[in-house]
Every structure is written in structure tokens, then in C-alpha cells.
């Protein structure tokens, strides 16, 4: 049996296995981490492949745990989603990313990942508008990265929220393109500003025949629809060559830069101007 519920402290049912127990422990700690300001945003540059300039930096959350050190979002985002903590976490991330981006030169945008669960908050577009206003950031400099699961929603509610966000002036990117079932059909549902091909298709370039075919098709679709095309996870020069050959607009990956602390990314931006 599971522990009795939210906010309970160390009341683990007897016999609960170690894995569940560790998870329960982490939920409690994550809630505290939010209150204590242990979350931190790192920023990873996206490079325009024509000009080689930084166009955008993607905000990627980290948890600076007092004992365990820096914890990856892979280890706590789904937990935050399960517990509902993704709502305050997502709000903090959005506000913090806008504040940071306001310090950068105006040609550089910031990208923020949105969880599908944040769309349950009917006031999401108001939060976006407020974050921009509070930071004094031009709305066109904010890109919101969503996955197709946002549009999987049966009702038109999420679509409506996306349209509201668009009206605020922010840009919408489809993240992890190709990993879902219907990425293609969702391009018809909403006019995305950007497509980001998931790094699983980049990792086996240029030899992976299937990946190459998919990457090539996405570049073509982006071109014909006038959508900015980006790839993530570029680690090697041969991968970059393959991506360049297909005519992608932008790339992101360890070959250019790892996710950097706010201070580090600011230095990189200054140095590259
Ligand atoms: P994502 O949105 O697909 O972000 C890209 C991930 O790929 C990041 O992992 C980034 O560090 C990693 N990456 C970038 N370049 C390379 C590369 O060349 N090679 C390899 N192997 N990896 C690369 P990260 O920072 O661990 O984030 C993982 C995921 O957690 C993100 O995947 C995103 O879905 C989620 N996430 C991160 N921050 C937030 C946030 O603030 N809110 C929400 N809702 N989700 C977030
Ligand atoms: Ca992303
Ligand atoms: Ca993602
Ligand atoms: Ca991805």
C-alpha cells in the first residue's frame, strides 16, 4: 500500500518497497526545494546555422540538492507532474526565465518548456503575459516549447489556450518532434512557429537511414510551411554536416554548448557578440 497522501511526513506503510519509499521521500523534498529556492535554471544556446549566432537559449531546470548535488530534471519533472508541484515549479521557471532573458541583447530569445499539465490552469496565458510584463521582456522573445501531448487533449481547451498565448505575442515551438504518434497531423491543428526534432533522430546520423529520411522530411515540411526548423542533441561534426546538408535553420547540442548556468551563458553571449 502507498503512504496515506500528500503532505504526510515519513508515514510510510510497512512493506513499502525501497523504490517507492525513495520516491515518496523525494516528493517531500521537492516541495521543500521549491520553498527554499533550491531550483536553478541552466540555459543552453541554439545556434543559427547560417550566421552562427546564438538565436535562443533554452531554460532547463536543475535542482541543487543540499546533499545530492545537482539533480537532472529527468529525475524530478515527472514526479512534479504526479504531485501537482509542476504548477508552482512551472510558474517559477517561466518568471525566472523571463527575468534572466531581459538582461540579454534583444536579438536573443528564451525558450521555456511547458508541461501538458500546466494547460489545466485556465489562466496560463495570463501567467505568460504577467511574466513578460513583470520582466519587461518583449513577448516575441519568449518561445514556449510544448510536446504533441498538449494537443492530444480531446477538448479544444488547450488549443484555445495556445491561441491566447499566441495573442500575447509569444512563440510556440513543437518539442521532441517525431517521438509521438501524430506529430505530423498536429502541424495542421496549430500553426507552430518552430519545430524541434528530437535528438533520438540526430544520434544515429548520418548512417541511420530511417533517421535521415525523417530528418530530411521535417526540413522539407518546415520549409514549405515557413516554420523555423531546429535539431537538438548535435554532438559531433558529422551530425552537424548532415543537418546542414538538409537545410535546418538552427541547432542545439553539446557540440556548441552544454546547458550553462545563468552567469556562464551571460559570459558566452557577451563573448560571441
Ligand atoms: P528537452 O526539452 O528535450 O531538452 C533537451 C535535453 O537534451 C536537455 O536535457 C539537454 O541538456 C539535453 N541535451 C542538449 N544537447 C544535448 C546533446 O548534444 N547530447 C545529449 N545527450 N543531450 C543533450 P535536460 O536538461 O536533462 O532536460 C531533460 C528534459 O526535462 C527536457 O527535455 C524537458 O523535457 C524537461 N525539462 C527541463 N526543464 C524543464 C522545465 O523547466 N519544465 C518542464 N516542464 N520540463 C523541463
Ligand atoms: Ca525542450
Ligand atoms: Ca521535452
Ligand atoms: Ca528532446
Amino acid at each position: 500500500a502507498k503512504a496515506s497522501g500528500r503532505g504526510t511526513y515519513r508515514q510510510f506503510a510497512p512493506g513499502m518497497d525501497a523504490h517507492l519509499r525513495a520516491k515518496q521521500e523525494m516528493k517531500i523534498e521537492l516541495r521543500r526545494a521549491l520553498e527554499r529556492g533550491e531550483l536553478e535554471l541552466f540555459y543552453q544556446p541554439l545556434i543559427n546555422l547560417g550566421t552562427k549566432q546564438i538565436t535562443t537559449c533554452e531554460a532547463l531546470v536543475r535542482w541543487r540538492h543540499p546533499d545530492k548535488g545537482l539533480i537532472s530534471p529527468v529525475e524530478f519533472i515527472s514526479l512534479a507532474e504526479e504531485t501537482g508541484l509542476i504548477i508552482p515549479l512551472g510558474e517559477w521557471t517561466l518568471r525566472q526565465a523571463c527575468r534572466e532573458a531581459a538582461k540579454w541583447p534583444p536579438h536573443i530569445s528564451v525558450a521555456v518548456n511547458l508541461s501538458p499539465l500546466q494547460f489545466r490552469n485556465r489562466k496560463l496565458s495570463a501567467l505568460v503575459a504577467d511574466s513578460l510584463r513583470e520582466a519587461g521582456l518583449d513577448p516575441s522573445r519568449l518561445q514556449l516549447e510544448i510536446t504533441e501531448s498538449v494537443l492530444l487533449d480531446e477538448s479544444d481547451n488547450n488549443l484555445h489556450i495556445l491561441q491566447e498565448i499566441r495573442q500575447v505575442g509569444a512563440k510556440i515551438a513543437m518539442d521532441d518532434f517525431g517521438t509521438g504518434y501524430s506529430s505530423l497531423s498536429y502541424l495542421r491543428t496549430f500553426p507552430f512557429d518552430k519545430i524541434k526534432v528530437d535528438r533520438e533522430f540526430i544520434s544515429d546520423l548520418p548512417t541511420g537511414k530511417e533517421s535521415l529520411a525523417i530528418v530530411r522530411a521535417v526540413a522539407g515540411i518546415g520549409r514549405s510551411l515557413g516554420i523555423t526548423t531546429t535539431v537538438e542533441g548535435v554532438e559531433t561534426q558529422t551530425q552537424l554536416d548532415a543537418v546542414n546538408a538538409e537545410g535546418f535553420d538552427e541547432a542545439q547540442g553539446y557540440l556548441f554548448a552544454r546547458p550553462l548556468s545563468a552567469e556562464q551563458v551571460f559570459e558566452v553571449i557577451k563573448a560571441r557578440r
Side-chain angles (χ1 to χ4, degrees):
K2 275 168 73 172
S4 50
R6 308 195 162 181
T8 49
Y9 188 65
R10 286 173 205 277
Q11 285 181 13
F12 303 117
M16 181 192 248
D17 73 24
H19 175 75
L20 258 182
R21 186 176 297 218
K23 194 167 144 181
Q24 195 67 20
E25 186 94 43
M26 200 165 176
K27 280 183 192 173
I28 296 162
E29 286 193 37
L30 183 57
R31 188 168 287 125
R32 247 182 349 222
L34 256 168
E35 295 161 4
R36 293 183 183 173
E38 290 170 11
L39 297 184
E40 202 173 307
L41 291 184
F42 274 43
Y43 298 89
Q44 187 179 31
L46 276 70
I47 310 296
N48 178 302
L49 291 174
T51 66
K52 308 284 189 287
Q53 297 258 40
I54 298 175
T55 62
T56 311
C57 296
E58 179 178 7
L60 295 159
V61 70
R62 305 284 183 263
W63 176 4
R64 201 172 284 281
H65 192 283
D67 315 317
K68 296 175 192 154
L70 217 53
I71 303 181
S72 150
V74 177
E75 295 190 42
F76 64 87
I77 287 291
S78 60
L79 200 66
E81 289 178 332
E82 278 174 41
T83 51
L85 279 174
I86 193 68
I87 298 300
L89 188 157
E91 174 167 351
W92 175 82
T93 300
L94 194 53
R95 292 187 186 277
Q96 184 62 23
C98 289
R99 277 195 289 264
E100 201 58 44
K103 302 175 189 168
W104 303 340
H107 65 276
I108 300 183
S109 299
V110 67
V112 175
N113 292 285
L114 290 184
S115 159
L117 290 183
Q118 290 179 265
F119 285 77
R120 296 215 187 138
N121 171 8
R122 305 272 263 18
K123 300 205 180 80
L124 183 58
S125 62
L127 171 65
V128 170
D130 195 57
S131 305
L132 288 162
R133 199 181 321 113
E134 181 196 61
L137 188 71
D138 190 286
S140 66
R141 292 178 62 197
L142 175 64
Q143 296 167 14
L144 298 164
E145 298 193 356
I146 63 160
T147 54
E148 66 168 52
S149 55
V150 165
L151 291 170
L152 218 98
D153 184 326
E154 300 275 284
S155 75
D156 286 341
N157 184 49
N158 291 0
L159 187 60
H160 179 71
I161 294 175
L162 277 181
Q163 281 154 350
E164 283 180 350
I165 293 175
R166 180 54 92 40
Q167 262 164 8
V168 170
K171 310 284 184 197
I172 310 288
M174 187 187 267
D175 205 0
D176 297 343
F177 192 87
T179 58
Y181 292 105
S182 347
S183 299
L184 275 179
S185 76
Y186 288 118
L187 290 181
R188 232 176 35 175
T189 309
F190 184 79
F192 287 89
D193 298 289
K194 183 183 281 194
I195 307 173
K196 289 185 85 173
V197 178
D198 192 70
R199 74 164 184 269
E200 84 175 47
F201 300 100
I202 308 307
S203 59
D204 60 348
L205 289 185
T207 43
K209 268 193 186 151
E210 290 77 13
S211 292
L212 186 61
I214 289 165
V215 158
R216 178 167 295 161
V218 175
I221 289 164
R223 248 190 317 274
S224 22
L225 295 179
I227 302 175
T228 302
T229 50
T230 304
V231 293
E232 62 175 32
V234 177
E235 294 182 350
T236 67
Q237 184 63 44
T238 33
Q239 288 168 355
L240 177 60
D241 292 343
V243 162
N244 258 322
E246 301 309 329
F248 275 85
D249 298 312
E250 299 178 329
Q252 174 182 19
Y254 295 169
L255 180 65
F256 305 102
R258 294 199 169 240
L260 303 167
S261 71
E263 293 74 23
Q264 285 172 323
V265 87
F266 193 74
E267 290 306 313
V268 168
I269 287 171
K270 271 200 303 187
R272 286 182 68 121
R273 289 185 77 184

